[in-house]
Amino acid sequence: MTAVSFDLLIILPALLAGLLVLVTHIPLGAQVLKRGIVFIDLAIAQIAALGVIIAGVADFDPQGWAVQVAAALAAVLGAVLLTWTEKRWPEVQEAQIGVMFILAATAGLLLVAHNPHGGEHLQDLLAGQILWVRYDQLLVPAIGTVVISALLLLFRDRLSRLGFYLIFALAVTASVQLVGVYLVFTSLIVPGLAVRHYAGRKRLVLAYLIGAAGYASGLVLSTLFDLPSGALIVWCLAILAMLVYAAGPKRQGTLSSRHG
């Protein structure tokens, strides 16, 4: 077995994890941009990570169902709370999302303050350990991806505020544990930003291509240069997104204002 084939065997489950994340996060990211609540993904992802930390403090098996339930429950509670705040104070919803993110992040810091491995655990939740994902870890996220994709196709643009937040929370719950908070945010927002001026089905296809190419190139480069996979994938996604945006159509209003 050559070094190249060995590296590909390491990369394959990680790439499959990334593709699973992209299946649901590309359409959800488009909804996030449309609704103007960009930082909801960071907030919900951080709340789901807080659920994982709480489960760890309670000495639950890191690979057990209890951790999944804790993360999902935390994310759903966060989604319900955000639904309530949007109904009560819609004019400051983005600020409220930011506050929830900060509270969840600092709560995690407090909970692991006396844990000798707390810093390492937080780093894993933020940057992820995607390169070391195993095939058996993909079963539950794969089932969740099928269910969430079916719900998105069934309801399309008819999702209520609460329905959207709940589906979003469930999608983010599994992806945070697979790829980390940074990649969850990047997968949701960056491809959507790049293709926002493209028309029709081309927009969705290009977004998926950016995502797949970003994950693949980041994983390959991380193994070649021994660099953190999550951080490198974020940069690869961002660079590809900028290239696709630069090569694409521009909004007519922007061009007109410049010529005016």
Side-chain angles (χ1 to χ4, degrees):
M1 183 180 294
T2 66
V4 173
S5 63
F6 177 73
D7 285 343
L8 289 176
L9 288 176
I10 293 176
I11 289 171
L12 187 55
L15 180 59
L16 289 175
L19 295 177
L20 276 177
V21 169
L22 290 171
V23 168
T24 55
H25 285 39
I26 294 291
L28 284 172
Q31 284 289 321
V32 166
L33 289 171
K34 182 179 178 181
R35 292 168 183 252
I37 46 174
V38 174
F39 291 105
I40 184 180
D41 46 350
L42 270 178
I44 296 294
Q46 192 66 56
I47 292 168
L50 178 60
V52 175
I53 292 171
I54 292 171
V57 171
D59 289 328
F60 290 128
D61 178 9
Q63 305 302 325
W65 280 95
V67 173
Q68 302 294 330
V69 171
L73 184 59
V76 167
L77 288 174
V80 171
L81 181 56
L82 283 174
T83 304
W84 180 76
T85 59
E86 188 174 337
K87 287 181 180 178
R88 186 72 184 269
W89 305 288
E91 71 280 3
V92 290
Q93 178 67 351
E94 191 75 356
Q96 292 168 144
I97 291 170
V99 170
M100 285 189 65
F101 166 75
I102 291 298
L103 289 174
T106 51
L109 286 173
L110 291 172
L111 285 171
V112 301
H114 297 296
N115 185 334
H117 302 292
E120 181 182 338
H121 189 37
L122 281 176
Q123 178 68 19
D124 289 347
L125 285 171
L126 290 173
Q129 289 290 316
I130 185 174
L131 195 60
W132 308 116
V133 169
R134 304 185 309 274
Y135 286 110
D136 60 296
Q137 292 177 266
L138 300 179
L139 178 59
V140 174
I143 294 171
T145 297
V146 171
V147 172
I148 291 167
S149 299
L151 289 172
L152 290 174
L153 285 172
L154 181 63
F155 291 101
R156 295 184 181 273
D157 295 325
R158 294 180 288 116
L159 276 173
S160 66
R161 183 189 293 109
L162 178 59
F164 171 73
Y165 280 148
L166 289 177
I167 289 176
F168 191 92
L170 293 175
V172 167
T173 295
S175 59
V176 162
Q177 296 173 74
L178 279 179
V179 302
V181 174
Y182 297 154
L183 269 177
V184 167
F185 179 82
T186 308
S187 300
L188 281 160
I189 300 302
V190 169
L193 280 177
V195 302
R196 66 188 185 278
H197 293 155
Y198 286 83
R201 296 183 65 85
K202 184 185 291 187
R203 180 184 304 172
L204 188 62
V205 171
L206 280 173
Y208 278 120
L209 288 175
I210 290 169
Y215 271 89
S217 56
L219 286 167
V220 170
L221 290 173
S222 70
T223 57
L224 290 176
F225 297 104
D226 193 26
L227 291 170
S229 301
L232 201 50
I233 294 169
V234 167
W235 275 90
C236 287
L237 284 167
I239 291 169
L240 287 169
M242 286 187 283
L243 291 174
V244 169
Y245 178 80
K250 301 298 180 289
R251 191 169 57 186
Q252 290 300 318
T254 302
L255 292 175
S256 300
S257 63
R258 286 180 180 177
H259 289 299

